[in-house]
Amino acid sequence: MRALVIQLRQIGDVVLTTPVPRILKEARPGCRVTFLTERPSDQLLEGNPHIDEILLNDRRAPWWRTLRLGLALRRRRFDVVLDFMGNPRSAILAFLSGAGTRVSYRAPGRGVLYTHRVSGAGNYAVEIKKNLLEPLGIRSEWDRPEIFLTPEEQEWARSERRRLIREGSDRLVTVDPSHRRVTRRWPSEHYGRLCVWMAEQGWTPVVLWGPGEEGVARAVVEASGARAVPAPATTLRQMAALIGAADLHVGNCSAPRHIAVAVGTPSFTILGSTSVGWTHPAPEHTQLALGLDCQPCNRNRCSRDDLACLRGLTPERVAGAIGEWVTGTLGWRTA
């Protein structure tokens, strides 16, 4: 069987789709899996033994190039296309592939382009993605995202850990304070105060940042009174390796939380507009929300215009929840 997996973006969604190639390979021995995505998410698929080929779509390309990509897909003679994106471009690509089985979620206006449409219902995001496997008669308990780091990347991260961790500190915590959506971004000053608490526990909080996010990271470090340490500039894979070398990851509902799951690092997520459905269902991954009646709204703009779900969630409350969780679940001691 030749299978095409389509998940163009975002980075976190691509990471959450990585269980699918493993499941396909285990259910259909000899299956060849091609993964269609976009930059820079392709970096996190490199070295995955369950993916035979990575193809790239350019979202800024004119439509005629989309048609050309579709013809290139057709020449590969896929038997199955699993379109986890479900937008107009991915639907056209799925159709142009010519695959006899084309599966996506139920969406108005594009059903004719697929042979099967399935429900988007479910709890954890990976479980929802696994719905697309049902028309193939494939079911699996596997639900953990995976990123396969090289020994060299892991050694680099261990070296960075030794460089970054403060003298007298026994744990390193990666902190992700950024998000392009304001409804998912806990205030920088709150993160700064939380980092002060972490330092008091004997932990070293290392603030992650990506392109265009230097200002947010700098604001957190300043709000912490320099108790937090800025991470070095990294590629996506280096960021994944650094998270993998950490003892804990704390941050917003964004890609690094899913990367933490994929590299085996416990994670604590601070929720605003999003739901618990993005949290991996294992004790070493948890979250905290203020619990307002309007949560989760899944909106990109606050209908109340006050972001109360984030601003009202105090650093003291988050610190208390983290302390209780790491003590009871991870077996850490806190001051």
Side-chain angles (χ1 to χ4, degrees), residues 83-88 90-91 103-114 116-120:
D83 180 7
F84 296 92
M85 197 74 196
N87 67 8
S90 66
V103 190
S104 191
Y105 302 108
R106 297 183 186 126
R110 295 188 288 276
V112 69
L113 300 177
Y114 302 105
H116 299 78
R117 292 177 295 164
V118 302
S119 168

Side-chain angles (χ1 to χ4, degrees), residues 144-213:
R144 189 172 70 82
E146 299 175 286
I147 295 171
F148 293 86
L149 299 167
T150 67
E152 292 77 15
E153 288 167 335
Q154 292 172 321
E155 177 53 38
W156 173 86
R158 287 191 290 268
S159 175
E160 283 299 298
R161 176 191 170 98
R162 291 191 293 269
R163 183 183 70 84
L164 292 167
I165 200 164
R166 293 188 184 278
E167 184 178 355
S169 178
D170 60 351
R171 300 194 187 276
L172 186 146
V173 181
T174 50
V175 178
D176 170 35
S178 302
H179 201 287
R180 61 194 181 96
R181 305 294 188 189
V182 67
T183 54
R184 302 189 190 187
R185 192 168 63 237
W186 201 45
S188 297
E189 58 270 23
H190 285 13
Y191 270 113
R193 287 161 57 191
L194 180 65
C195 287
V196 171
W197 174 82
M198 289 183 185
E200 291 171 349
Q201 309 310 306
W203 311 346
T204 299
V206 175
V207 185
L208 303 174
W209 56 277
E213 298 172 346

